[in-house]
Structure formats: structure tokens, C-alpha cells
Amino acid sequence: MERIKSGKMINVVRSVVLVMSVLLIGTGVMNQEHTEVLQKAVKICLECIGIG
Amino acid sequence: MPGVHWNRIKQKRKISFQRKIQFISAAVFNGYGAGFVKGKIYTGGSKAVCVPLLNCYSCPGALGACPVGSLQTALGARHHFPFYVLGTMMLFGILLGRLICGLLCPFGLVQDLMHKIPVPKWSVPKKIDRPMRYLKYVVLLSTVILLPALVVTKTGITPPYFCKYICPAGTLGGGIPQMIANPALRNLAGMLFSWKVLVLLLILLLSMFIHRPFCRYLCPLGAFYALFNRFAFYQMSLNERKCTGCKKCERSCPMAVEITREINSSECIRCGKCKAVCPEGAISLGFLLKNSKPYGDYRAYGTRSRRR
């Protein structure tokens, strides 16, 4: 815990998470996951609006 | 003097920076005005992009996709690891943390406005408040991640449990406007819609008495961003040399954060109210603050003598 409190460690954690998130987005885009999101989002989600 | 009186009125009506950003954000993320008139949703390419906030993609004005809904779809309908949605949520989380809750979320704005209604305000006792705050993590883990990922239905598509049974933002932003604009959908509304309206009404009613009950206790997106709040690039800092320990900041905090003890708490929504009331100017907010500490500064005040 003491180590994580130090500024350097925080910057490392931040940078790792930032790089990981960019890599995940890149992987998802290569897998065409954004088109799946689009397909779901352009139709009215009946569950979301309470019809089921 | 009439001038002085007018100035007082003008001062009272001054809209805070937070409120301005909240209204702008709600308008920008729900900018498809024609959708409200026609009762149709936007179908453009921007809906492939997850927005950082809880904004139902079935809202007639929504220009982007809700990350919580998209996460449940990826896990429940497509049954694969959600690289894209998870990466997007992590990116927003590490850059902004819960600043998104405080400044950008339209349902946060709705709760803030409900809290303006002049009724007696409740202070939730710590014994109840502290354990209840973990409920949002249970909601995230169960309804958004585990149930969609593990439950197998006959059709092979697992419903988005959070959206279906809980999400009040979906009912308010998507369900009610769609019901008003679409007579065909109105005919289909049954028990589930009544349940969702009841959940929404309960949360709105509670918001009048308790500040942001949904953000505190139930929101799975708030829970996800809370995991990053201490480490996000956007941080808060308390200058221990300036702090006198008057605790005005803690009394003004809508999320009941112990600011002098833990300024970068996972519960802080970065609304900036503490900074506005601090008479010493000891609190600062911003990206990559030099003296910010993830677990706050436990020696924020009153221990300067001990250090010497």
C-alpha cells in the first residue's frame, strides 16, 4: 500500500491502464466489435424502455 | 435601493459552472432533436461509439451508445470478451474518473434538480450509508457482468438485466419519451414498464431528500469509474499548509466525502462544491496535479506540529 501511495507508482498505474485501454479498444475495433455496438444501438431496445 | 435588490436577485439566479456543463452535456449527447418529434432513434454511425455516461441508446435524442447497455449486450448476446466496450470505459475512467458523474451525466443532473425541491433533507447515518455504498458494486458485478455472461436462455440471448429491471435513466430518457411518441409501443407496455416507472419514481422521490441516491448506491457505471477515481489523471488536491480544518468543504459535499481525510475518495464526483466554499483556497482540481495523493492526505490538517 505504501508503494502505491508514492507518486511514481501512481504514474506507472495510470500509464499502464491508459495503454491497456487503448490496446483493448484497438483489439475490439479489429474484431469489428464497434459494429456490434452500432447494430444494437440503432434499434429501439425493448428491454431498456420497459417492454421486454 | 433598487439596484442592490436587482443585484441580489441576479446573484441568487446565477447558474453554477457545474450546472452549465451538465445542461450542455445533456444537450450534446442527446442532440438528435428530430427523434423526440418523430419518436424514432438516431441511426447514424456515431452510435458505434460508447459515450462516457449512462445515456440510454433508445433515448430518441441519443447520438452515442450507452456503455452499460453495450457491455451487457457483448456479454449476453454475443458471448465474447468485450474488448471494445471495456477499453472505452477504462479510457474514460482513467482520464476523468467520476468527474463524468459530477459534470457530464444527465441522470446526475436530474437528481441534482430534484434535490433543489425545498423539502427537509435527510442525512443518512454512516452505519447505513457506508455499507449501502457497496451495493453499486454488487449491481455492477451481478446484473451487468455475471448474469449476462453466465445465464443461458433458450434463445441464446441473455437480456440486459440492469437495463431491463433497474435502469431509471433508460426509463426517463428512453421509455417515457418513446411511449409518448409511439402509440404502437404504448399498447405493448405492461407490468415491466410499470415496474420500471415505479423504480424511477422511487429514485426521483428519494433524490428530493438525499443527494444523488442512485449515484451513491446503485449506479454500475459510477461503481466502475469509482475504481479509477484515486488513480485517474483528473485529481483533487488539498494543500495542507492552507487547510485550517474548518470542515466547510465536508459540510457542503453532496456525496458526504470526508474531504480532509480522503480527498480523492472513490465516492467523490468532482463537482467542485468543496473548492467553491473553501475560504482558504486550499483545494485544487485538475489534470496531473503535482501534490495529489490517491488515498488523500491523512495529515491534511492538525498534524503540522507533529511533522515538525
Side-chain angles (χ1 to χ4, degrees):
Chain A
M1 197 60 81
E2 277 304 316
R3 281 184 70 204
I4 213 160
K5 281 182 189 176
S6 71
K8 279 184 184 176
M9 192 63 191
I10 294 304
N11 285 334
V12 170
V13 172
R14 278 175 186 156
S15 308
V16 167
V17 175
L18 185 67
V19 170
M20 265 179 66
S21 57
V22 172
L23 288 176
L24 284 172
I25 293 170
T27 311
V29 170
M30 283 198 298
N31 292 346
Q32 298 292 307
E33 287 177 26
H34 61 294
T35 57
E36 290 173 7
V37 170
L38 181 66
Q39 280 169 18
K40 172 74 180 173
V42 294
K43 292 174 196 153
I44 293 177
C45 167
L46 293 178
E47 292 98 343
C48 306
I49 65 169
I51 289 180
Chain B
M1 284 172 71
V4 172
H5 177 66
W6 180 242
N7 281 343
R8 277 183 192 161
I9 291 171
K10 273 171 87 176
Q11 257 186 344
K12 275 185 183 174
R13 287 186 180 173
K14 196 179 169 189
I15 301 170
S16 68
F17 172 76
Q18 182 202 14
R19 197 71 73 236
K20 282 178 194 163
I21 299 291
Q22 283 176 312
F23 277 116
I24 292 169
S25 166
V28 167
F29 287 110
N30 295 290
Y32 183 59
F36 290 100
V37 181
K38 295 176 188 169
K40 289 180 178 172
I41 61 170
Y42 181 67
T43 54
S46 65
K47 278 215 160 166
V49 181
C50 288
V51 294
L53 31 101
L54 202 66
N55 198 92
C56 185
Y57 35 40
S58 294
C59 171
L63 294 173
C66 172
V68 175
S70 302
L71 186 61
Q72 289 169 93
T73 304
L75 291 167
R78 316 285 181 187
H79 298 289
H80 63 67
F81 187 83
F83 290 101
Y84 175 68
V85 182
L86 194 65
T88 311
M89 288 168 72
M90 280 171 61
L91 184 66
F92 289 134
I94 198 64
L95 290 177
L96 303 171
R98 290 194 80 181
L99 175 73
I100 294 160
C101 310
L103 290 195
L104 301 179
C105 183
F107 198 67
L109 168 66
V110 170
Q111 290 174 88
D112 283 347
L113 294 178
M114 289 303 291
H115 199 66
K116 290 270 176 196
I117 295 172
V119 291
K121 306 301 174 194
W122 297 345
S123 173
V124 185
K126 271 187 187 176
K127 276 183 185 175
I128 301 168
D129 182 61
R130 296 295 170 205
M132 282 275 285
R133 296 211 184 210
Y134 290 102
L135 193 60
K136 59 180 175 288
Y137 299 100
V138 176
V139 172
L140 170 68
L141 202 63
S142 59
T143 64
V144 179
I145 296 170
L146 292 180
L147 282 173
L150 301 177
V151 172
V152 181
T153 57
K154 282 180 187 172
T155 57
I157 297 170
T158 314
Y161 288 97
F162 174 76
C163 299
K164 190 172 179 178
Y165 296 107
I166 302 172
C167 187
T171 314
L172 187 66
I176 293 172
Q178 292 291 356
M179 294 292 168
I180 293 169
N182 279 318
L185 286 177
R186 229 172 9 244
N187 295 333
L188 295 172
M191 280 297 289
L192 184 62
F193 185 71
S194 305
W195 163 254
K196 287 205 69 182
V197 171
L198 181 69
V199 172
L200 171 67
L201 289 177
L202 275 174
I203 289 168
L204 293 181
L205 190 70
L206 265 178
S207 304
M208 289 164 58
F209 302 97
I210 304 166
H211 202 277
R212 291 200 180 216
F214 181 71
C215 305
R216 281 191 195 199
Y217 307 124
L218 288 174
C219 182
L221 194 58
F224 186 84
Y225 291 145
L227 301 173
F228 297 88
N229 219 29
R230 297 179 201 277
F231 312 103
F233 284 88
Y234 191 85
Q235 287 285 300
M236 290 181 72
S237 173
L238 181 70
N239 188 327
E240 61 187 90
R241 288 183 184 171
K242 287 183 181 176
C243 180
T244 57
C246 69
K247 303 229 175 187
K248 276 186 181 171
C249 52
E250 293 188 6
R251 285 193 292 274
S252 74
C253 179
M255 297 296 280
V257 173
E258 289 178 277
I259 294 160
T260 53
R261 189 178 162 267
E262 201 178 8
I263 194 159
N264 284 309
S265 157
S266 55
E267 295 299 321
C268 172
I269 57 168
R270 315 302 199 205
C271 64
K273 283 199 173 83
C274 52
K275 188 191 174 192
V277 299
C278 180
E280 306 298 326
I283 295 171
S284 45
L285 298 100
F287 287 96
L288 294 169
L289 294 176
K290 278 181 183 173
N291 52 345
S292 73
K293 294 170 185 177
Y295 288 89
D297 194 337
Y298 298 102
R299 298 151 302 185
Y301 68 95
T303 52
R304 273 170 272 179
S305 54
R306 255 184 270 162
R307 278 181 152 189
R308 280 169 197 155

